[in-house]
Amino acid sequence: MAKKNETKKSEEEIDDEDQSKLQEKEESPSESKDESSQEDGEEKPSKDDESEDSELDKLNKDLERKDEEIIELKSHIQRLQADFDNFRKQGEKQKQDLIRYANEGLIVKFLDIYEDMERALENSSNEEELREGLELIYSKMKNALEKEGVEEIPAVGEKFDPFKHEALLTVDSPDHENNEIVDELMKGYTLKDKVIKYSKVRVCKKAKKEE
């Protein structure tokens, strides 16, 4: 009987141990869960890391935007350069055309005179008619030149001016003062106050009297 009681007691002790182990086992998952959460916490990025990543993203976006702005500015500069080159080429062409056709208006006027001269030569049957035609043409040509600002340089009787006259000969003339123009050998002309052809003249030079 006593042995039977010991056996029963032993079974109760075993049951108590099993319950204790079971209770420990039930408590252990929470502990492992806490440990697992701690491990997971170590793997997750901290707030500082997230802030740094955000700053890097922002900087990258700023750099991309700046690169786009630089590309746009380069394209704008290239367009401006192309426009400037076209403007320069067009200006040079206009300048060349202006030089090439600068005398167009004057030539048109002289074409009329040229045709008048041609008609005078064709239609003149004698010297008198030819002279009348030439006088008409001469008057017309002179008027055309005057309208363009061309004027003859006064010479005979004028004081010699090296800025208007070119002395080809000198003569000691009792009828003229020293440095006075005696003869005009070739006419000179000005174009709007600019000498375009010097008058070629003969000038009076008095001989020095011996004492």
Side-chain angles (χ1 to χ4, degrees):
M1 184 72 178
K3 187 176 181 180
K4 188 175 182 180
N5 290 334
E6 289 176 1
T7 302
K8 184 176 182 182
K9 185 178 179 181
S10 177
E11 289 177 357
E12 290 176 355
E13 289 176 356
I14 292 172
D15 291 339
D16 292 337
E17 291 178 358
D18 292 339
Q19 289 179 358
S20 175
K21 288 181 180 179
L22 182 61
Q23 187 176 359
E24 290 176 359
K25 190 174 182 181
E26 288 175 355
E27 292 175 356
S28 62
S30 63
E31 293 177 356
S32 63
K33 186 175 181 181
D34 292 338
E35 291 175 359
S36 175
S37 64
Q38 289 178 358
E39 291 177 356
D40 293 339
E42 290 176 358
E43 292 178 358
K44 289 182 180 180
S46 64
K47 291 183 179 180
D48 292 338
D49 293 337
E50 292 178 355
S51 178
E52 289 180 0
D53 292 340
S54 177
E55 288 293 329
L56 285 174
D57 291 339
K58 184 178 179 182
L59 288 174
N60 288 330
K61 289 180 181 180
D62 290 340
L63 287 174
E64 290 177 359
R65 186 170 64 253
K66 293 297 181 183
D67 289 340
E68 291 176 357
E69 290 177 358
I70 290 172
I71 293 172
E72 185 176 354
L73 286 174
K74 285 183 177 180
S75 177
H76 182 64
I77 291 172
Q78 289 174 351
R79 289 195 299 270
L80 288 176
Q81 183 67 37
D83 292 341
F84 176 76
D85 289 340
N86 291 333
F87 175 78
R88 180 176 55 80
K89 291 177 181 178
Q90 185 178 4
E92 289 177 355
K93 185 178 182 301
Q94 290 177 349
K95 183 179 179 180
Q96 292 174 357
D97 291 342
L98 182 63
I99 294 172
R100 184 179 300 175
Y101 303 111
N103 298 325
E104 180 180 354
L106 182 62
I107 290 173
V108 169
K109 292 179 181 179
F110 273 90
L111 284 175
D112 294 337
I113 297 171
Y114 170 78
E115 292 174 358
D116 289 342
M117 186 177 292
E118 185 179 20
R119 282 191 291 269
L121 291 172
E122 291 177 353
N123 299 327
S124 298
S125 57
N126 53 56
E127 184 177 345
E128 184 178 355
E129 290 180 353
L130 181 60
R131 183 177 179 82
E132 289 177 357
L134 289 176
E135 287 178 351
L136 180 63
I137 293 168
Y138 172 78
S139 177
K140 195 170 184 178
M141 185 178 293
K142 186 177 180 180
N143 290 334
L145 289 171
E146 288 176 351
K147 287 181 180 179
E148 293 296 325
V150 177
E151 295 182 359
E152 293 182 7
I153 296 175
V156 177
E158 296 290 326
K159 196 77 172 178
F160 177 77
D161 185 351
F163 295 103
K164 295 180 180 179
H165 310 115
E166 181 180 353
L168 297 182
L169 298 170
T170 59
V171 61
D172 185 358
S173 173
D175 299 328
H176 299 83
E177 296 181 1
N178 193 38
N179 285 332
E180 183 181 344
I181 295 174
V182 178
D183 293 317
E184 182 181 54
L185 305 177
M186 293 184 68
K187 290 182 179 293
Y189 300 92
T190 59
L191 175 61
K192 298 177 181 178
D193 299 329
K194 178 183 177 182
V195 176
I196 58 175
K197 183 181 179 183
Y198 289 88
S199 297
K200 293 178 173 53
V201 297
R202 181 164 55 181
V203 184
C204 176
K205 285 291 183 181
K206 298 291 185 181
K208 293 183 178 179
K209 294 181 180 180
E210 296 182 359
E211 295 182 355

